[in-house]
Amino acid sequence: MKIKPSVKQNRKIIALKLIFISCLAFSCVTQKQVEYLQNRNQPVISAKEAEFPDYKLKPNDELFIHISSLDEAAANVFTNASQQQLLNAGSIQPYGASLLAHSIDREGNLWLPVVGKITAKDKTIAEVTEILRDSLTHVLSQPIVSIKLVNRYVSVLGEVRNPGHFPYSQDKLTVLDGLGLAGDITEFGNRNEVIMIRNEGGENKRISIDLTNPDLLASGYFYLRPNDIVYVKPLRNKFWNMRQFPFNVVFSTLTTGLLIYNIFRP
């Protein structure tokens, strides 16, 4: 004899299915949530280039300094054999450059052979280059000074495909470039509120950035600075993500259990 489910039992099953469907809806991410720099009314947007003030050197910064001159023998005093070998190779990895770099001490000073002490704190690389070139004019014939900041790193964390600590060599790196280094934001990353942590004047600042707003292109936070940290917050939808939590198994188990209970209950 086949036992038919009661009306009350059917209502419970329908209620469970509605809950399941609601959870499925909450887990969905809309197209608007994953678009950058949104403006559907204007196909072309013009924005003034964001300000990018020259980086001010700080204690513990590392500088790769290369000095050359018409008097090659005299210029070799500032270039050791290991550094020359790397220069001849044509490519220097960040770790290798760090081993050969000159560090700015806690007082903000840079120490070099022959030249001695140079105050580098709160100066730009161009200013330090000019100071060093002027200091070498009485030592070398037509000195050429090239200085690069070694510790150019950004950290990208949170809802990105490949979070990590990334070196970069270019002078300008946008926040979108930084996210690109990390493989872009996942579909469950909150593009409306990306957190940037930046040290300015000895203070760590927490800055909220909206990647969906085209005004970001002219913002002072469009370009990253060395040692910035970018954190992408997760959307609430991730909590309901069907791929993260086996709702189908849970609800199937509850539905089966409820059916068995109603059939065999006294």
Side-chain angles (χ1 to χ4, degrees):
M1 178 179 177
K2 189 175 180 180
I3 302 176
K4 295 183 178 180
S6 64
V7 175
K8 186 176 181 181
Q9 176 185 335
N10 285 334
R11 288 177 179 175
K12 291 181 179 179
I13 294 174
I14 292 172
L16 286 172
K17 289 182 177 180
L18 289 175
I19 294 173
F20 176 77
I21 293 172
S22 299
C23 292
L24 182 62
F26 277 118
S27 69
C28 295
V29 177
T30 64
Q31 180 179 349
K32 189 175 181 180
Q33 289 177 297
V34 298
E35 288 184 356
Y36 295 97
L37 308 175
Q38 299 174 19
N39 193 321
R40 301 178 185 275
N41 299 325
Q42 298 178 350
V44 178
I45 302 173
S46 297
K48 184 180 179 181
E49 185 177 3
E51 293 184 2
F52 188 75
D54 291 333
Y55 178 74
K56 301 289 186 180
L57 295 170
K58 300 179 294 186
N60 301 319
D61 274 347
E62 297 177 335
L63 301 176
F64 184 83
I65 302 174
H66 180 239
I67 299 172
S68 59
S69 168
L70 294 178
D71 186 354
E72 185 177 351
N76 286 338
V77 174
F78 302 94
T79 306
N80 57 42
S82 299
Q83 185 180 21
Q84 189 61 51
Q85 186 177 4
L86 285 173
L87 290 171
N88 292 337
S91 177
I92 303 177
Q93 297 300 320
Y95 181 71
S98 181
L99 292 176
L100 301 173
H102 297 270
S103 297
I104 299 176
D105 63 22
R106 293 182 179 180
E107 287 71 36
N109 298 318
L110 184 66
W111 294 86
L112 293 172
V114 181
V115 177
K117 182 176 73 172
I118 295 177
T119 302
K121 181 180 178 181
D122 296 329
K123 289 184 171 59
T124 66
I125 291 178
E127 290 172 338
V128 173
T129 301
E130 187 65 26
I131 293 172
L132 182 54
R133 185 186 298 113
D134 291 342
S135 301
L136 292 171
T137 53
H138 67 284
V139 179
L140 301 177
S141 175
Q142 299 183 23
I144 299 175
V145 179
S146 176
I147 300 179
K148 295 291 183 181
L149 181 65
V150 171
N151 54 308
R152 290 184 188 270
Y153 293 94
V154 292
S155 297
V156 186
L157 310 172
E159 279 298 315
V160 291
R161 303 189 191 281
N162 300 299
H165 189 61
F166 303 97
Y168 67 98
S169 58
Q170 60 267 43
D171 290 333
K172 291 184 177 182
L173 186 78
T174 70
V175 64
L176 298 178
D177 292 331
L179 293 170
L181 292 174
D184 199 8
I185 301 177
T186 68
E187 63 269 31
F188 291 102
N190 189 346
R191 290 159 175 79
N192 294 98
E193 191 178 0
V194 172
I195 304 303
M196 177 188 292
I197 300 174
R198 173 174 294 176
N199 186 286
E200 291 183 339
E203 295 181 352
N204 288 321
K205 294 185 178 181
R206 180 188 185 277
I207 303 149
S208 180
I209 299 173
D210 184 358
L211 297 178
T212 67
N213 190 342
D215 292 339
L216 173 66
L217 296 172
S219 167
Y221 300 109
F222 182 58
Y223 290 108
L224 295 175
R225 311 292 286 176
N227 303 313
D228 277 353
I229 300 173
V230 178
Y231 169 66
V232 181
K233 298 172 63 175
L235 290 169
R236 293 184 179 181
N237 304 62
K238 185 176 181 180
F239 176 77
W240 302 100
N241 184 11
M242 301 299 294
R243 291 177 297 176
Q244 301 291 333
F245 188 82
F247 284 103
N248 54 342
V249 177
V250 173
F251 282 107
S252 296
T253 304
L254 289 175
T255 304
T256 304
L258 182 60
L259 180 61
I260 294 173
Y261 170 76
N262 280 277
I263 291 174
F264 293 101
R265 69 177 179 175

